Amino acid sequence: MSTPKPPDRASAITGRFYGVGVGPGDPELITRKGARLIEQADVIAFHAGVGKASNARRIAAELFPADVIEEQLTYPVTTGTTAHPGGYAGALADFYEESAARLARHLEAGRDVVLLAEGDPLFYGSYMYMHDRLAERFPTEVVPGVPAFVAATAVAASPLVRQTDVLTVLPGTMAEPELARRLADTDAAIIMKLGRTFPAVRRALEAAGRLDHALYVERASMPEQRWLPVADVDPASVPYFSLIVVTGDSRNGARSRLTPEVEQPVVPAPTTSAELLVVGLGPGPHDWLTPEVSAVLAEVSHVVGYGPYVDRVPQRAGLTRHASGNTVEVDRARQALDLARSGEQVAVVSGGDAGIFGMAAAVFEAAEDPAYAGVAIRVLPGLSAVQAVAARAGAPIGGDFAVVSLSDRLKPWAIVERRLRAIAEADLVLAIYNPASRSRTQQVATAQRVLLEHRKPETVVIVGRDIGRAEESMTITTLAELDPQSIDMLCLLIIGAENTRVSPAGVWTPRYVEG
């Protein structure tokens, strides 16, 4: 390390801190601004692995001033294994603190510090950790660089995205099922952070049906650059400086380096009768999915549904997912019916049971169109949310009960109130779906007032929130003490009947009713 030189500007209070992107490997891809700042720097810092030369320094070395001070920031670990008491995260946190302190001493002395970053400083880079620690203390500027994926995309010889295509950048460290889902749901993708994650990434690409159009690029723009189809890559040969490109054009049939120049076979029209399956996924946990539904989801070619429910279906090869918003049920049903009519194997998915405030009714509504007369509809039941909440509480729906949705999107609120009064007067246990949302904040309070006109204040109320998931909670209260402000869209309420009881074993409603 060189001896620190005094600041060149007597008027400077502190030096300026620059994060300079030097691009993916080719020195000619450094921006003119980045090159100028490197040539004028008092101090140049760069990261390096243990026992390894810095790739960022290699890229920019020919621009270093002769008398520049060099600060090599050597990572203490490069894997998750360390003897540090705080583990891998603790070791890196200490390293970043120490590195920031080293650079701060130069800045406090009035020296300008350039921290080199491979690719772009704020794109999966280590620069950002120095930025977090120094930017509020010293004048700071970030100079963007060419990201590695841009150089890799040029190798693919196909546009990455066009017009309204969606590009998703994914870390290879993501859980395999989630990675497969996101790959299936996007037009184009970049997968970073390979190395040891490559086998799982390859499986995810295969499950998403994108393997045949995935290009592996290693050391993009460097002299030793190489590329080949992901399917042909030896997992043991994958280094850190590698990534995968899946272009949007590959989805639309456009040619790229991976598109074989062969005539595509003609697929004969299906001869079997059309059928549309409507399935319930249960309230959430995989264990609550019925074997019948699991078998169907393992066979169909298309899954159609509200986005969060489609996300719960594991991605696999040959499966196309069609996710849409929360207020287009009939349009969604028509899309599924169109697919089924064309001979595709299609499942429409709902949370809980598809027949309870789910997609089943919307499918039958859309199927009244004579155009779908040839499509058979089969509904597969699922565990309902009311059953899940009731089971957690005990047996509150052991007797007669009713189910009502407080949503007034598809029916006037006056009808909701009339039904609540009728149920209260009949002394039925009441399960309330859709009690509140961001735009519906008063319905629970109104329902509470209506029910108290006919029910005792001490009537048992069960509030189940996110039942079946890790964040689940269960509250047993009374109709008078229910706090409407505590209720949100993740809740389901069960209002007990007059004879509903709370015992040490749980909440239950007797099967018998005295006359």
Side-chain angles (χ1 to χ4, degrees):
M1 184 184 301
S2 305
T3 302
K5 64 178 181 179
D8 296 329
R9 298 161 304 283
S11 61
I13 298 176
T14 67
R16 295 184 65 84
F17 181 46
Y18 298 95
V20 176
V22 295
D26 184 350
E28 292 186 340
L29 293 180
I30 299 176
T31 65
R32 291 174 61 182
K33 183 173 185 177
R36 174 175 58 80
L37 290 173
I38 294 169
E39 290 173 334
Q40 297 174 354
D42 300 317
V43 179
I44 296 179
F46 43 85
H47 289 86
V50 178
K52 298 180 180 179
S54 167
N55 194 54
R57 186 190 188 285
R58 178 196 64 77
I59 297 169
E62 62 184 27
L63 299 172
F64 282 25
D67 59 347
V68 75
I69 302 168
E70 296 188 22
E71 287 283 4
Q72 177 168 307
L73 310 177
T74 305
Y75 296 107
V77 290
T78 54
T79 67
T81 302
T82 175
H84 190 283
Y88 179 77
L92 284 183
D94 285 353
F95 163 68
Y96 290 131
E97 289 294 336
E98 294 163 3
S99 298
R102 286 170 59 184
L103 302 186
R105 286 194 287 270
H106 290 295
L107 293 164
E108 289 166 349
R111 304 183 189 94
D112 286 345
V113 176
V114 168
L115 176 56
L116 305 179
E118 299 158 35
D120 181 86
L122 296 176
F123 187 78
Y124 289 124
S126 294
Y127 163 78
M128 64 187 72
Y129 300 105
M130 295 297 96
H131 184 93
D132 292 343
R133 291 164 170 80
L134 298 173
E136 292 186 359
R137 298 170 55 193
F138 304 100
T140 301
E141 183 176 353
V142 179
V143 180
V146 177
F149 79 84
V150 175
T153 300
V155 178
S158 177
L160 184 58
V161 283
R162 300 175 185 261
Q163 298 176 342
T164 58
D165 284 352
V166 174
L167 170 66
T168 304
V169 179
L170 301 164
T173 51
M174 181 177 285
E176 188 177 324
E178 178 68 5
L179 182 60
R181 180 185 72 78
R182 290 176 181 258
L183 285 167
D185 291 346
T186 191
D187 297 298
I190 301 294
I191 309 176
M192 314 284 291
K193 302 180 182 292
L194 298 182
R196 293 177 299 164
T197 68
F198 182 82
V201 171
R202 187 191 186 285
R203 291 193 299 269
L205 282 162
E206 188 169 18
R210 310 300 292 273
L211 180 61
D212 291 342
H213 297 284
L215 181 71
Y216 168 86
V217 182
E218 180 181 303
R219 297 184 171 88
S221 85
M222 302 182 197
E224 60 271 37
Q225 167 184 292
R226 74 172 184 133
W227 65 268
L228 65 161
V230 170
D232 297 339
V233 175
D234 175 6
S237 70
V238 177
Y240 177 79
F241 294 110
S242 60
L243 52 81
I244 290 170
V245 178
V246 184
T247 65
D249 274 359
S250 67
R251 243 191 183 183
N252 302 322
R255 289 197 65 253
S256 70
R257 289 195 178 191
L258 295 179
T259 306
E261 296 186 42
V262 296
E263 189 173 331
Q264 297 299 315
V266 177
V267 180
T271 57
T272 57
S273 59
E275 181 183 48
L276 178 60
L277 301 168
V278 187
V279 305
L281 299 175
H286 183 74
D287 290 347
W288 291 356
L289 193 69
T290 70
E292 179 185 35
V293 170
S294 294
V296 162
L297 295 178
E299 294 295 330
V300 296
S301 302
H302 298 265
V303 170
V304 179
Y306 176 43
Y309 300 145
V310 171
D311 289 348
R312 287 169 51 189
V313 179
Q315 183 59 46
R316 56 174 171 76
L319 178 66
T320 302
R321 302 142 67 86
H322 306 269
S324 51
N326 193 29
T327 59
V328 291
E329 291 88 351
V330 175
D331 290 340
R332 186 155 58 226
R334 292 193 186 102
Q335 179 187 24
L337 287 162
D338 285 336
L339 286 166
R341 185 173 57 173
S342 69
E344 298 289 347
Q345 295 176 294
V346 188
V348 175
V349 296
S350 278
D353 181 88
I356 302 178
F357 303 120
M359 278 299 298
V363 168
F364 281 99
E365 178 182 343
E368 288 195 332
D369 187 330
Y372 303 121
V375 180
I377 300 170
R378 182 155 57 102
V379 181
L380 279 58
L383 179 68
S384 68
V386 63
Q387 290 174 284
V389 173
R392 282 286 193 266
I397 56 174
D400 298 334
F401 71 98
V403 179
V404 168
S405 168
L406 289 195
S407 173
D408 56 356
R409 186 172 68 84
L410 299 175
K411 59 182 180 290
W413 178 253
I415 291 179
V416 176
E417 282 201 33
R418 191 169 73 215
R419 292 175 177 176
L420 289 173
R421 286 191 171 89
I423 292 167
E425 290 176 358
D427 192 28
L428 295 173
V429 173
L430 170 63
I432 296 180
Y433 277 69
N434 305 313
S437 69
R438 293 185 183 91
S439 61
R440 294 185 297 104
T441 58
Q442 300 302 316
Q443 278 86 337
V444 175
T446 303
Q448 180 185 35
R449 175 181 55 77
V450 169
L451 293 171
L452 281 169
E453 294 173 5
H454 306 276
R455 296 285 180 88
K456 295 178 180 178
E458 60 269 24
T459 299
V460 179
V461 175
I462 301 162
V463 180
R465 189 179 191 281
D466 240 359
I467 295 300
R469 297 183 173 90
E471 301 80 13
E472 78 167 40
S473 64
M474 174 78 71
T475 301
I476 309 299
T477 184
T478 66
L479 189 56
E481 294 176 350
L482 173 66
D483 178 11
Q485 298 302 314
S486 68
I487 307 303
D488 59 25
M489 66 182 70
L490 300 178
C491 295
L492 184 140
L493 279 60
I494 297 180
I495 315 296
E498 186 173 343
N499 63 342
T500 300
R501 307 175 186 180
V502 179
S503 69
V507 182
W508 63 288
T509 301
R511 294 173 296 162
Y512 52 84
V513 178
E514 296 179 356

